[in-house]
Amino acid sequence: MTDTARPDGGRAALAGFVTNRLGRATPRPAPVKTASPAGKSAAQNFENLPGYRELKLQRQAADLIGLGNPFFRVHDAKAGATTRIDQKSFTNFSSYDYLGLNGHPRVSNAAREAIEAYGTSASASRVVAGERPGHISLEQALAKHYQSEGCIVMVSGHATNVTTIGALLEAGDVIFHDALSHNSIVTGAQLSGAQRRSFAHNDLDALETLLQSTRHEHRRALIVVEGLYSMDGDAPDLAGLVALKKRYDAWLMVDEAHGLGVTGRTGAGLFEHCGVDPREVDIWMGTLSKTLSTCGGYICGPIALIEYLKHTAGGFVYSVGMSPPLAAAAEAALAVMHAEPERVERLRQNGTLFLATAKKLGLDTGFSLGLAVVPIIVGDSLKAVTLSDRLFRRGINVQPIIHPAVPERASRLRFFLTSEHTPDQIRDTVNAVAEELAAIDKGGSLIEQLLAKRV
């Protein structure tokens, strides 16, 4: 039996885990000597991968204090404002179904018709043998939405950012991105070989300082921001970004993964929200897995950009084409979004209600605009996981966001709102958050409280 498996060793492991997660100066545990399978060196043992031992320690600590694992739960209902887990119904705030289009009859029928006509797979890359009419039709609809010359759709939103940025920039170029940019943006920048420079979140003065001091050192430059930041629920100043990209001769790329269907009066996106001509942005990127209720990503922009990506971007050229039913469903969802703007209005009302109720109760919602994404920032990771677990027991499903996804002291619960949530669901949820937070705080130090359970 290992030390961490014994009660006293488990208590020590929990203490070390908690203090580490609270950012205190505690030495890292010594490496565990793990027996290796026959013929394998220690380096070849998967259990010796960096971070794996910490992962096991976290799981053991959670088990010791009776916290359920909030991740990878099995849902036996469609993603939406409500869900079902282990035969129990939950109010659900862990879905990107912002406009309630997942399962919409028009969207589902489009997918079924595409299956009947083309099956479930494109069967090959579109360059070779995978082109179907639905791909072209979806790309035309998205290009029209952004008033762009062309569009390319890919099978993964993450891969869309990675492969596009990686294909456009190279050594000698530079990429300026917001410090809170999504992993896919950072990974694409690293893949490109270009210099990567981040600026403070939504701070255009900081961006201009970087541009002034370094832009002249590089050939091509790309500025990348998000239309709605998924961790904080805020948005950048698009007009200011357009002015900077013109002044310093740079491309501007906007990741609209969470913005489409959410920002702007009709949900058109950041350009509508900020009153900017969408043609002023060089590259519009987005995903199909949020408002459009399917899976994949897209790039809209000048025809030269689209043609270049279709012939050179590895994530497109060497990947199977998008599944025909997904393409058809995404196009149908976009059409419903355009035809039923009342969905966007309901989403806006729900976000406003959630934000106002939370602020009235003294909850920290950070910089959220109260659109579709509202964080409630609680502090350390253990507190966030504990709060999520308590809410789950009350029939509310919401995920904790913990270090390293966010800074340790900025751990939070992240609420994704939909147009289908009811005012009562929102009020009851926010009240439950305030009640459970107060109960946790009343219990005193989480470290002492949780360790006491094991004495």
Side-chain angles (χ1 to χ4, degrees):
M1 179 181 290
T2 64
D3 287 342
T4 54
R6 292 196 301 264
D8 56 339
R11 189 176 188 280
L14 176 58
F17 165 64
V18 172
T19 51
N20 277 329
R21 300 308 269 176
L22 292 179
R24 298 179 182 174
T26 304
R28 282 189 171 275
V32 174
K33 293 183 178 180
T34 307
S36 300
K40 293 283 187 180
S41 67
Q44 293 298 112
N45 187 343
F46 290 117
E47 293 188 12
N48 289 330
L49 287 171
Y52 182 72
R53 180 171 183 267
E54 183 181 357
L55 176 62
K56 291 177 66 176
L57 185 61
Q58 291 173 15
R59 288 174 177 169
Q60 291 166 351
D63 289 341
L64 283 169
I65 59 179
L67 286 180
N69 185 351
F71 309 113
F72 299 106
R73 287 182 173 130
V74 177
H75 297 242
D76 51 4
K78 71 179 180 69
T82 60
T83 190
R84 192 169 57 249
I85 304 170
D86 291 334
Q87 303 305 310
K88 180 180 178 181
S89 295
F90 290 82
T91 302
N92 187 31
F93 292 94
S94 294
S95 165
Y96 297 146
D97 188 30
Y98 295 137
L99 298 185
L101 299 179
N102 185 30
H104 186 285
R106 184 171 173 182
V107 176
S108 297
N109 286 337
R112 278 191 287 267
E113 291 173 3
I115 290 174
E116 290 299 320
Y118 307 109
T120 57
S121 174
S123 297
S125 92
R126 288 169 60 187
V127 175
V128 177
E131 191 87 335
R132 296 294 183 273
H135 299 135
I136 300 169
S137 182
L138 172 59
E139 288 171 345
Q140 290 174 340
L142 287 166
K144 181 179 180 181
H145 178 86
Y146 289 101
Q147 301 177 41
S148 299
E149 293 178 356
C151 174
I152 177 174
V153 296
M154 305 185 197
V155 294
S156 159
H158 187 282
T160 298
N161 266 338
V162 172
T163 198
T164 297
I165 298 172
L168 290 178
L169 286 299
E170 58 188 8
D173 300 332
V174 62
I175 298 167
F176 301 92
H177 67 82
D178 190 287
L180 298 187
S181 289
H182 191 267
N183 169 270
S184 58
I185 294 172
V186 175
T187 301
Q190 293 170 334
L191 174 67
S192 73
Q195 287 288 311
R196 181 170 62 88
R197 304 185 185 279
S198 66
F199 56 93
H201 180 52
N202 276 342
D203 188 339
L204 297 197
D205 290 335
L207 171 58
E208 181 159 25
T209 297
L210 280 176
L211 288 164
Q212 284 177 335
S213 60
T214 65
R215 171 65 186 97
H216 65 279
E217 300 173 355
H218 305 277
R219 181 182 44 176
R220 289 188 292 262
L222 174 69
I223 300 170
V224 191
V225 298
E226 296 182 35
L228 186 71
Y229 285 88
S230 63
M231 292 295 177
D232 293 88
D234 57 350
D237 172 9
L238 185 59
L241 287 162
V242 168
L244 286 177
K245 75 105 177 180
K246 289 180 177 179
R247 189 176 307 148
Y248 293 95
D249 187 28
W251 289 322
L252 174 60
M253 178 177 180
V254 179
D255 177 339
E256 280 279 78
H258 293 270
L260 180 66
V262 175
T263 54
R265 183 181 60 84
T266 68
L270 186 65
F271 67 88
E272 184 180 48
H273 178 76
C274 294
V276 173
D277 187 334
R279 292 169 293 186
E280 296 281 9
V281 173
D282 302 282
I283 307 170
W284 287 103
M285 179 272 173
T287 60
L288 307 177
S289 55
K290 281 76 175 177
T291 289
L292 300 188
S293 298
T294 55
C295 186
Y298 61 85
I299 295 288
C300 291
I303 196 64
L305 166 68
I306 303 307
E307 290 181 348
Y308 176 79
L309 292 176
K310 284 189 174 182
H311 290 86
T312 66
F316 180 83
V317 174
Y318 301 105
S319 173
V320 68
M322 178 175 290
S323 169
L326 289 181
E331 184 181 355
L334 183 63
V336 174
M337 185 194 88
H338 288 151
E340 300 180 11
E342 62 271 18
R343 291 176 178 271
V344 180
E345 180 56 30
R346 288 203 307 271
L347 175 62
R348 187 177 308 280
Q349 291 174 1
N350 283 346
T352 299
L353 175 61
F354 191 105
L355 191 67
T357 307
K359 287 185 174 181
K360 184 177 180 179
L361 293 174
L363 301 174
D364 184 357
T365 57
F367 300 107
S368 175
L369 298 175
L371 296 174
V373 182
V374 183
I376 292 183
I377 302 169
V378 301
D380 65 76
S381 296
L382 183 58
K383 190 173 184 179
V385 174
T386 302
L387 178 59
S388 173
D389 187 71
R390 285 177 174 235
L391 291 173
F392 188 77
R393 297 171 191 273
R394 293 180 63 161
I396 299 166
N397 184 55
V398 58
Q399 296 298 304
I401 305 298
I402 61 178
H403 180 78
V406 293
E408 175 58 40
R409 286 293 181 176
S411 293
R412 63 198 63 190
L413 300 191
R414 182 173 57 163
F415 291 83
F416 292 115
L417 300 165
T418 80
S419 60
E420 308 311 293
H421 282 114
T422 68
D424 284 345
Q425 285 175 328
I426 291 170
R427 293 190 189 96
D428 291 347
T429 293
V430 179
N431 285 329
V433 171
E435 290 169 9
E436 294 298 344
L437 264 180
I440 292 172
D441 290 339
K442 184 178 180 181
S445 165
L446 277 172
I447 297 176
E448 296 305 319
Q449 177 191 154
L450 295 173
L451 289 178
K453 291 185 178 182
R454 308 307 304 176
V455 173

